[in-house]
Amino acid sequence: MLLVLTVLPPLPRWEPTAAGTAAAPPPGPAVPAIARTWPVGTRPPVLRGWAPPAAPYGPGHRGVDLAAPPGTAVRAVAAGRVTFAGRVAGKGVVSVELAGTGDPPLRTTYEPVRASVEKGDEVRAGDVVGTVEATGSHCAVTCVHWGLRRADAYLDPLSLLPPWLLRRGPSRLLPVLGVPPA
């Protein structure tokens, strides 16, 4: 019997809509798939996806919400430098400027997070930057809001993840039918 390794396709990207139409991508360089880990857990449930506003100050969701219980380690998804670690409007926030992502560089944010890093710290992909706080989340259950920006443009943070991190399961070996034996 001949077995062939079949690679399942990656999950589709979150396709934002505003009144039923896809939002135009912001100008500037494309987002490189440089993440080497999820911010929390392994393929955590996405409670709410990225939905950019139709206008700069319009309603929308400028990031993704990932399910994570309080105390969960929050990790840098890629190498960079911490540009902020503190509180904003009572919530713990950590921002990391990602190395080698152009000018202006990409910046990820994580909240609500009790920071274990300080402004100026260099982090590698997978380094713990803090833990999920029990309060301050805007989700019905505790979650981490993961954001991505280039200058003033909000981007889909899931676009940082390469296909191998987006897949839902392992590759599977499937039989090849209709192939004569060798």
Side-chain angles (χ1 to χ4, degrees):
M1 177 197 297
L2 177 66
L3 294 178
V4 174
L5 178 64
T6 301
V7 178
L8 299 175
L11 292 173
R13 299 279 185 194
W14 180 268
E15 294 298 330
T17 60
T21 60
V31 175
I34 60 169
R36 294 297 169 251
T37 184
W38 284 85
V40 290
T42 304
R43 294 183 193 92
V46 176
L47 301 176
R48 185 173 176 200
W50 184 68
Y57 300 103
H61 193 239
R62 295 159 176 87
V64 296
D65 294 335
L66 305 174
T72 300
V74 178
R75 300 180 183 282
V77 298
R81 183 178 47 83
V82 176
T83 56
F84 182 84
R87 302 199 76 71
V88 175
K91 296 179 186 181
V93 178
V94 173
S95 294
V96 177
E97 186 176 279
L98 303 181
T101 58
D103 187 27
L106 292 171
R107 184 175 65 240
T108 58
T109 58
Y110 312 95
E111 67 175 79
V113 173
R114 181 177 316 283
S116 60
V117 292
E118 295 179 353
K119 181 178 179 178
D121 286 354
E122 296 288 328
V123 294
R124 296 173 307 208
D127 283 355
V128 174
V129 297
T131 56
V132 178
E133 291 183 328
T135 59
S137 170
H138 58 252
C139 301
V141 297
T142 309
C143 73
V144 167
H145 178 83
W146 177 28
L148 177 65
R149 290 177 70 170
R150 183 183 300 279
D152 291 333
Y154 290 90
L155 304 167
D156 181 0
L158 293 178
S159 63
L160 287 170
L161 297 171
W164 60 270
L165 276 174
L166 284 172
R167 286 192 204 102
R168 287 195 180 254
S171 299
R172 293 175 179 86
L173 293 175
L174 301 174
V176 176
L177 304 174
V179 176

